[in-house]
Amino acid sequence: MNNKSIIVIGGGAAGMMAAIWAARNDNNVILIEQNEKLGKKLFITGKGRCNFTNACDIEDLFGNVATNSKFMYSSFYSFSNQMVMDFFEELGLRYKVERGNRVFPESDHSSDVIKVLEKELRRLNVDIRLNTRVDELIIDNGVACGVVTHEISTNTYSRDKLKINNNTNFKKNSNRISNVKKQKLNADKIIVTTGGISYPRTGACDSGYRFAENAGHTIVKPQPSLVPFEVKEKWCKDLMGVSLKNVGMSVLVKDHKGKEKKVFEDFGEMLFTHFGVSGPMVIKASAYIHKYLGEDIILSIDLKPALSDKQLDERILRDFEIFRNKQLSNGLEKLLLRSLIPVVVDYSGLDGNKKISEITKEERRILGESIKNLKMHVTGLRGWDEAIITKGGVSVKEIDPSTMESRKVKGLYFAGEVLDVDALTGGFNLQVAWSTGYLAGIS
């Protein structure tokens, strides 16, 4: 069973993990990476600190996978988050657990994660080929048996511009490069770990989807995910740079009858930008709203989630008693951030110049409702340059979840972000990469 020739395409998280475990099983492994170094996207993960997994209970891993969580059952139980931590500790990486069970290298340097992986690859005599691109897979009678590659000149190479549209078809891109010296490499097994197409500046491209589609696989349309929202309201721009903490957020979708359905709810932090809103809650929500894009999507912010409507009204009354001789716009400083006051007052439709002593009970109710339900209309999501991950990819219906092998082509495996599996922030996407990479490597 062992001593097979295995080619791993892509030197990111899943690729390095797959190559290590394939080599630990006494196989001859070639790891091919088109960039000049391994782990380029891993290097910028977690703002350069690399949140490489999450120390939650293993059952909670599934709840943090936004797409196709059931597919991950074998992967997570075969190589769990605790096993990932043990694996890195074995390699000499010291780690720490922070808020939300997020696991980081103790040094706060993502480069240390890459260093221990690369050191292990070299210890195992994995043949690492950098600046090398795979042009096509060789498939004979339904069996993967090799690849065609060429070396990339660091002087002349410029990454192909990526274009993804509703009629995604990667077959037509199968021969982009001509007049270069190509090399054929034979293999018993091929593992595709080319990643998604988020962070294009790291060299991310659509090659994995092209390989899969040429092999007969279905590609679920790739879309940018874990991204900020663009909103319609102009006042968001006025609040640019304002950060809110301990607020509630709901995402509602309005149907053609005007009925609103809540599709997401959370509590935490958010940030106003020149185009809309960002921050942890917003990024998380983006994983769930792709299928509603084009519909009427409403973002509702509760500025005082700890207070019920009645408690908020009582609080407003107390403040109004203190500021009863002031104008409304000058009497909310104890309740709201100064920058929010004109926005909330304008949103409520009340007269900011009206004396607080003249505010009616109904006007007070309207003010409270505006504070508890400040609405914005989502017009879209930000693009690939700001996407943390890719939603979509190789359909998992066509992948054996216990081995990561293609159901279409024998000897062809897929792992990591190239698959149609995506998770939330907090180390969960890297856990998907490690677990699927491990399973592909040992299989």
Side-chain angles (χ1 to χ4, degrees):
M1 291 292 291
N2 292 331
N3 294 313
K4 295 185 180 297
S5 295
I6 297 179
I7 292 175
V8 181
I9 308 172
M16 287 189 282
M17 188 63 77
I20 285 170
W21 284 98
R24 283 187 176 187
N25 280 1
D26 298 324
N27 295 298
N28 299 313
V29 182
I30 299 175
L31 176 58
I32 301 174
E33 168 56 49
Q34 70 172 3
N35 284 314
E36 74 284 0
K37 58 186 176 182
L38 298 174
K40 213 164 182 183
K41 190 183 292 187
L42 193 59
F43 183 75
I44 63 173
T45 299
K47 297 180 180 177
R49 296 177 62 215
C50 194
N51 175 196
F52 66 88
T53 189
N54 192 285
C56 64
D57 292 338
I58 189 168
E59 292 80 8
D60 291 337
L61 291 177
F62 298 96
N64 283 279
V65 176
T67 306
N68 293 318
S69 61
K70 291 180 180 178
F71 174 79
M72 291 301 301
Y73 188 88
S74 292
S75 295
F76 280 162
Y77 277 101
S78 296
F79 199 54
S80 68
N81 48 349
Q82 185 58 57
M83 293 169 74
V84 167
M85 288 183 274
D86 292 344
F87 168 82
F88 278 105
E89 193 167 50
E90 171 205 327
L91 295 188
L93 182 76
R94 297 173 67 89
Y95 65 83
K96 58 185 176 181
V97 181
E98 296 188 358
R99 180 172 54 87
N101 289 316
R102 295 173 301 163
V103 184
F104 293 90
E106 197 173 78
S107 65
D108 282 331
H109 295 312
S110 58
S111 57
D112 288 343
V113 176
I114 300 167
K115 282 176 186 175
V116 297
L117 290 170
E118 190 167 2
K119 183 179 178 182
E120 180 68 0
L121 288 165
R122 298 194 185 283
R123 185 188 74 80
L124 293 165
N125 295 315
V126 171
D127 183 356
I128 301 171
R129 303 194 182 185
L130 303 176
N131 293 311
T132 302
R133 170 176 285 181
V134 174
D135 297 322
E136 60 179 300
L137 305 184
I138 301 171
I139 299 171
D140 186 17
N141 291 321
V143 179
C145 55
V147 299
V148 176
T149 71
H150 76 275
E151 287 189 21
I152 299 168
S153 168
T154 54
N155 295 323
T156 60
Y157 170 63
S158 62
R159 187 180 57 80
D160 298 307
K161 297 295 183 183
L162 178 67
K163 293 182 179 179
I164 301 295
N165 53 49
N166 289 325
N167 300 310
T168 306
N169 188 321
F170 305 98
K171 292 180 183 178
K172 61 186 178 183
N173 300 319
S174 61
N175 193 24
R176 292 173 175 170
I177 298 175
S178 59
N179 300 321
V180 295
K181 186 177 180 181
K182 298 190 178 186
Q183 181 181 14
K184 178 181 175 182
L185 300 173
N186 296 321
D188 297 300
K189 294 183 178 181
I190 299 169
I191 305 175
V192 178
T193 58
T194 48
I197 46 184
S198 56
Y199 291 118
R201 66 183 179 276
T202 63
C205 63
D206 65 1
S207 59
Y209 308 135
R210 174 164 49 87
F211 299 149
E213 192 169 75
N214 288 341
H217 279 277
T218 303
I219 306 299
V220 178
K221 181 188 173 185
Q223 300 178 76
S225 193
L226 299 186
V227 286
F229 290 175
E230 295 179 347
V231 302
K232 179 181 178 181
E233 283 68 20
K234 304 297 184 191
W235 51 260
C236 276
K237 193 171 183 179
D238 297 334
L239 292 173
M240 183 174 64
V242 174
S243 179
L244 302 181
K245 296 183 178 180
N246 302 319
V247 297
M249 187 183 84
S250 299
V251 180
L252 312 165
V253 177
K254 186 182 292 186
D255 63 20
H256 63 282
K257 295 181 180 179
K259 186 177 180 181
E260 294 180 350
K261 176 178 72 170
K262 186 183 295 183
V263 297
F264 180 85
E265 187 174 29
D266 202 6
F267 171 87
E269 301 175 18
M270 61 175 291
L271 172 73
F272 289 99
T273 70
H274 66 284
F275 54 77
V277 288
S278 186
M281 281 195 303
V282 176
I283 298 298
K284 183 178 178 181
S286 72
Y288 296 97
I289 71 164
H290 286 80
K291 61 183 177 181
Y292 302 110
L293 292 175
E295 299 183 44
D296 192 358
I297 304 173
I298 299 165
L299 197 63
S300 174
I301 306 302
D302 184 349
L303 297 172
K304 295 294 175 182
L307 302 178
S308 66
D309 292 348
K310 182 181 178 182
Q311 289 171 327
L312 178 59
D313 187 53
E314 290 171 350
R315 168 67 191 278
I316 292 172
L317 270 173
R318 289 198 300 271
D319 286 1
F320 276 10
E321 187 61 34
I322 296 170
F323 300 114
R324 57 181 294 112
N325 294 319
K326 287 191 173 186
Q327 295 176 326
L328 177 61
S329 292
N330 297 322
L332 299 173
E333 293 180 4
K334 292 175 68 68
L335 186 64
L336 299 171
L337 288 174
R338 187 184 298 272
S339 54
L340 279 175
I341 293 172
V343 170
V344 171
V345 171
D346 187 61
Y347 179 85
S348 71
L350 301 177
D351 182 359
N353 296 319
K354 190 171 184 178
K355 285 188 68 172
I356 284 176
S357 59
E358 298 173 357
I359 299 292
T360 66
K361 182 179 180 181
E362 174 61 15
E363 288 173 327
R364 206 172 65 239
R365 183 195 65 77
I366 292 172
L367 177 63
E369 187 178 277
S370 300
I371 293 170
K372 297 284 289 180
N373 190 18
L374 184 63
K375 289 183 175 181
M376 292 164 273
H377 292 79
V378 178
T379 57
L381 300 176
R382 300 295 279 179
W384 290 112
D385 284 338
E386 296 175 56
I388 295 175
I389 57 150
T390 302
K391 180 180 282 288
V394 180
S395 173
V396 297
K397 294 177 182 178
E398 300 163 356
I399 304 296
D400 184 340
S402 63
T403 63
M404 296 295 122
E405 187 174 18
S406 163
R407 297 186 191 275
K408 301 277 188 176
V409 177
K410 188 173 177 56
L412 178 61
Y413 297 73
F414 293 89
E417 198 179 348
V418 72
L419 293 166
D420 181 26
V421 179
D422 61 275
L424 305 181
T425 56
F428 301 105
N429 284 290
L430 274 178
Q431 181 63 46
V432 169
W434 307 132
S435 294
T436 55
Y438 167 84
L439 211 47
I442 66 169
S443 299

